[in-house]
């Protein structure tokens, strides 16, 4: 086995060790079974010989344990730096350190000022409004999150406590980083440009699929997306950026060489990151989306395999909690794996032609189907619901999503220079949005099924997909 293959398997099982430790309750028997099962499959398909089989298993066990140790060490170190008076009703102050979420209420991430330290989540009424960089004084109770799962979800962003509707008073403004404040201002103005040219619901949906802004979503629209199985479309992930990159790649491809098209599309992705505020979740999504674009450029599975795993490893080393508690990261990783590995296997199984077809329908169908199949376990595990017709709804929408995102992104950007030109572009995207919202509204009539699925279901589902991909690859060879 070559060095790059050893690096791939070691990194993969290091990530698996991080994931296992995040559950805490996973037994040793499950770990042993999984490692032995994967090792046996790898041996069965001829990746390792009998002499190296035991060595291979030993390396995998070492990687798993190192991953678990790293998860424990990283979280212990983070918690050692915080000093939060949990359970006390006191006067405290802090600076808004991230982009405020503003809908029916405000959600502010506050970096506490001395004598305290750490980050907490503040829930406030809609008004008065606060912005990034504001120094605010609060008077209220700081408490633990309402549940252990919610606490873990917040900890992925280094948030360790919550305060609901304390009294608040603005002390001063512009205490944050100038560059970050400028990015957030750019994001707000971009959303404002979209709001000027589209109706409320369409503007909200377009803001969601382009830059992940969901503050304007009504309760009814959220319910419609849940029932139709399309909620993940606005959970900004690498798949969203992959869609945008696909549209840009096709557009630039008509005018430039393949290499120049690749460069221009990467520049567009970087611009997108800045437009969306360059938050950590968006940067992670951009990395995964860029890897998907790289897959189109390279076209070599082995190179992509290492690139995907190393990117995931890099992000997990920065923050190991994203592997289990960041839904955007999970959707990015799963959808990308589906596009790179499952899509060719489905194409082989269905005996489809190499030609992409009119408007690239074959390629879109394969990528959409593969991505949907690989994200189903994650959606069911996190939300406990399975939309019966969700796959159909997503295929009908995602066929037009690349064009919608590209034109929508263009309309919002042009709005900085010319309202009238943006209005003209908005007319075209309005047609696409009307169709997509009609699909969501139609499939909302079929309520999602309540499904209880644990980690065992997720493992079995992906295990079956793995067998399918390996079988199709073996058949092809």
């Amino acid at each position: 086995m070559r060095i790059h293959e050893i690096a791939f398997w070691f990194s993969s099982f290091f990530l698996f060790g991080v994931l296992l430790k995040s559950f805490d309750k996973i037994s040793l028997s499950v770990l042993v079974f999984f490692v032995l099962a994967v090792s046996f499959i790898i041996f069965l398909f001829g990746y390792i010989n009998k002499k190296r089989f035991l060595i291979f298993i030993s390396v995998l066990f070492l990687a798993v344990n190192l991953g678990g140790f790293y998860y424990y060490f990283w979280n212990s170190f983070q918690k050692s730096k915080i000093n939060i008076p949990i359970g006390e009703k006191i006067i405290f102050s802090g600076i808004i350190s991230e982009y405020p979420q503003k809908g029916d209420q405000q959600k502010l991430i506050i970096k506490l000022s001395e004598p305290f330290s750490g980050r907490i989540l503040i829930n406030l009424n809609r008004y008065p409004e606060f912005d990034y960089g504001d120094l605010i004084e609060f008077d209220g109770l700081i408490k633990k999150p309402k549940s252990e799962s919610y606490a873990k979800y917040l900890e992925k962003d280094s948030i360790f406590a919550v305060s609901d509707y304390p009294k608040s008073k603005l002390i001063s403004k512009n205490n944050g980083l100038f560059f970050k404040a400028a990015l957030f201002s750019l994001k707000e103005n971009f959303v404002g440009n979209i709001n000027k040219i589209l109706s409320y619901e369409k503007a909200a949906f377009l803001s969601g699929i382009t830059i992940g802004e969901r503050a304007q979503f009504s309760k009814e629209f959220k319910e419609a997306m849940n029932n139709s199985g399309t909620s993940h479309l606005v959970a900004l992930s690498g798949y969203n950026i992959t869609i945008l990159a696909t549209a840009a790649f096709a557009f630039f491809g008509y005018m430039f060489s393949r290499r120049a098209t690749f460069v221009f599309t990467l520049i567009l992705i970087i611009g997108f990151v800045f437009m969306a505020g360059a938050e950590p979740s968006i940067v992670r999504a951009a990395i995964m989306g860029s890897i998907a674009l790289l897959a189109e450029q390279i076209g070599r599975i082995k190179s992509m395999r290492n690139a995907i795993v190393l990117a995931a490893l890099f992000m997990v080393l920065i923050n190991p909690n994203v592997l289990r508690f960041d839904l955007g990261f999970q959707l990015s990783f799963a959808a990308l794996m589906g596009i790179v590995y499952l899509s060719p296997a489905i194409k082989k199984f269905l005996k489809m032609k190499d030609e992409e077809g009119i408007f690239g329908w074959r390629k879109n169908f394969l990528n959409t189907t593969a991505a949907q199949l690989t994200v189903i376990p994650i959606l069911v595990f996190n939300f406990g619901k399975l939309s019966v017709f969700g796959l159909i709804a997503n295929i009908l929408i995602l066929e037009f999503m690349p064009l919608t995102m590209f034109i929508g992104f263009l309309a919002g950007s042009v709005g900085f220079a010319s309202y009238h030109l943006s209005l003209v572009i908005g007319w075209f995207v309005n047609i696409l949005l009307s169709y997509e919202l009609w699909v969501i509204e139609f499939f909302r009539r079929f309520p999602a099924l309540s499904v209880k699925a644990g980690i065992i279901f997720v493992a079995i589902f992906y295990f079956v997909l793995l067998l399918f991909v390996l079988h199709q690859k073996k058949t092809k060879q």
Side-chain angles (χ1 to χ4, degrees):
M1 188 174 286
R2 297 177 181 178
I3 294 178
H4 71 271
E5 292 176 328
I6 295 174
F8 167 78
W9 289 111
F10 189 89
S11 300
S12 298
F13 275 79
F14 179 91
L15 294 173
F16 180 64
V18 171
L19 181 63
L20 278 180
K21 187 61 179 177
S22 69
F23 282 95
D24 286 327
K25 298 178 182 179
I26 298 295
S27 64
L28 180 62
S29 59
V30 174
L31 169 62
V32 173
F33 171 78
F34 186 85
V35 173
L36 290 177
V38 173
S39 301
F40 179 73
I41 291 173
I42 295 169
F43 170 73
L44 189 64
F45 283 86
Y47 287 98
I48 54 175
N49 55 39
K50 294 179 181 179
K51 294 181 179 179
R52 297 178 179 176
F53 186 67
L54 291 177
I55 298 176
F56 184 72
I57 292 177
S58 301
V59 171
L60 295 189
F61 270 111
L62 174 63
V64 169
N65 282 284
L66 284 176
F69 173 76
Y70 183 78
Y71 178 87
Y72 173 80
F73 173 79
W74 191 91
N75 280 284
S76 298
F77 179 72
Q78 291 296 313
K79 292 178 180 179
S80 68
K81 297 189 296 182
I82 66 171
N83 176 24
I84 302 175
I86 295 177
E88 298 181 30
K89 188 177 184 300
I90 60 170
I91 295 175
F92 61 97
S93 62
I95 297 173
I96 300 178
S97 60
E98 300 294 340
Y99 183 76
Q101 297 181 35
K102 300 175 183 178
D104 297 332
Q105 63 177 6
Q106 295 182 86
K107 292 182 177 293
L108 311 177
I109 298 176
I110 301 295
K111 183 179 180 181
L112 294 174
S113 302
E114 293 183 352
F116 308 116
S117 61
R119 304 209 310 173
I120 66 173
L121 175 66
I122 303 284
N123 294 309
L124 292 178
N125 292 320
R126 183 68 174 86
Y127 298 101
E129 285 192 353
F130 296 107
D131 298 307
Y132 166 77
D134 288 354
L135 174 61
I136 308 171
E137 181 181 88
F138 300 97
D139 183 356
L141 174 68
I142 299 178
K143 59 184 180 180
K144 292 182 179 180
K146 56 187 177 182
S147 66
E148 184 179 350
S149 59
Y150 186 51
K152 290 291 186 182
Y153 172 79
L154 292 178
E155 282 182 19
K156 82 179 192 312
D157 294 318
S158 299
I159 301 171
F160 298 97
V162 177
S163 182
D164 293 327
Y165 306 102
K167 294 179 182 179
S168 56
K169 182 175 68 174
L170 178 65
I171 303 300
S172 62
K173 300 183 74 68
N174 302 320
N175 296 285
L177 299 173
F178 173 78
F179 181 66
K180 203 170 183 179
L183 290 179
F184 290 148
S185 176
L186 185 66
K187 178 178 181 176
E188 288 184 345
N189 291 328
F190 179 84
V191 173
N193 292 340
I194 292 176
N195 289 335
K196 291 176 184 177
I197 61 175
L198 294 171
S199 63
Y200 183 83
E201 191 173 61
K202 291 173 182 175
F205 183 62
L206 184 60
S207 297
I209 63 176
T210 51
I211 59 174
E213 180 58 49
R214 290 171 284 177
Q216 301 180 72
F217 283 15
S218 65
K219 183 179 179 181
E220 293 75 15
F221 186 60
K222 289 178 182 178
E223 184 180 346
M225 296 197 74
N226 286 333
N227 287 342
S228 60
T230 54
S231 297
H232 67 95
L233 294 176
V234 293
L236 195 63
S237 66
Y239 188 44
N240 298 67
I241 297 181
T242 300
I243 292 172
L244 178 64
T246 300
F249 203 84
F251 175 78
F252 291 130
Y254 283 109
M255 299 178 287
F256 305 104
S257 66
R258 188 174 181 84
R259 179 171 294 181
T261 297
F262 177 71
V263 172
F264 286 134
T265 306
L266 276 182
I267 293 174
L268 181 67
I269 291 176
I270 294 171
F272 170 85
V273 171
F274 287 135
M275 186 71 72
E279 296 175 85
S281 60
I282 296 170
V283 174
R284 288 195 293 269
I287 291 173
M288 300 304 288
S290 299
I291 292 174
L293 182 63
L294 188 63
E296 294 286 338
Q297 180 72 9
I298 295 177
R300 291 185 296 180
I301 294 296
K302 287 186 178 180
S303 299
M304 279 310 305
R305 180 188 69 180
N306 283 7
I308 292 171
V309 170
L310 289 177
L313 179 65
F314 173 73
M315 288 182 270
V316 167
L317 287 175
I318 294 176
N319 183 354
N321 289 309
V322 301
L323 195 57
R324 181 185 171 193
F325 301 107
D326 191 325
L327 182 60
F329 173 84
Q330 295 168 8
L331 292 174
S332 300
F333 193 78
L336 183 55
M337 295 291 283
I339 292 171
V340 174
Y341 292 100
L342 187 57
S343 179
I346 295 175
K347 179 181 178 181
K348 173 68 177 176
F349 179 75
L350 297 178
K351 299 179 180 179
M352 296 182 72
K353 299 178 181 179
D354 291 333
E355 293 81 7
E356 295 184 1
I358 300 174
F359 300 117
W361 75 267
R362 286 193 184 91
K363 179 181 178 181
N364 291 334
F365 169 79
L366 288 170
N367 286 348
T368 300
T369 303
Q372 282 296 295
L373 287 173
T374 50
V375 301
I376 282 176
I378 297 173
L379 296 175
V380 172
F381 179 80
N382 282 277
F383 301 112
K385 291 185 177 181
L386 177 63
S387 176
V388 179
F389 298 99
L391 181 59
I392 299 175
N394 278 279
I395 289 176
L396 291 175
I397 291 176
L398 287 169
E399 283 290 321
F400 298 91
M401 192 59 69
L403 187 60
T404 304
M405 290 184 66
F406 183 73
I407 298 178
F409 187 70
L410 186 63
S413 302
V414 169
F416 288 104
S418 170
Y419 163 74
H420 297 289
L421 182 57
S422 177
L423 190 64
V424 173
I425 299 173
W427 185 83
F428 291 99
V429 78
N430 182 70
I431 298 174
L432 295 169
L433 290 169
S434 296
Y435 162 74
E436 289 154 4
L437 292 178
W438 176 84
V439 172
I440 292 173
E441 187 62 31
F442 178 81
F443 282 97
R444 75 172 296 178
R445 303 172 188 174
F446 308 97
L449 299 176
S450 294
V451 180
K452 291 184 179 180
I455 190 62
I456 301 299
F457 165 79
V458 176
I460 293 175
F461 194 101
Y462 283 127
F463 188 69
V464 172
L465 289 183
L466 175 63
L467 288 177
F468 174 74
V469 170
L470 292 175
H471 176 71
Q472 292 302 314
K473 184 178 180 181
K474 191 81 172 179
T475 303
K476 185 176 181 179
Q477 290 176 345

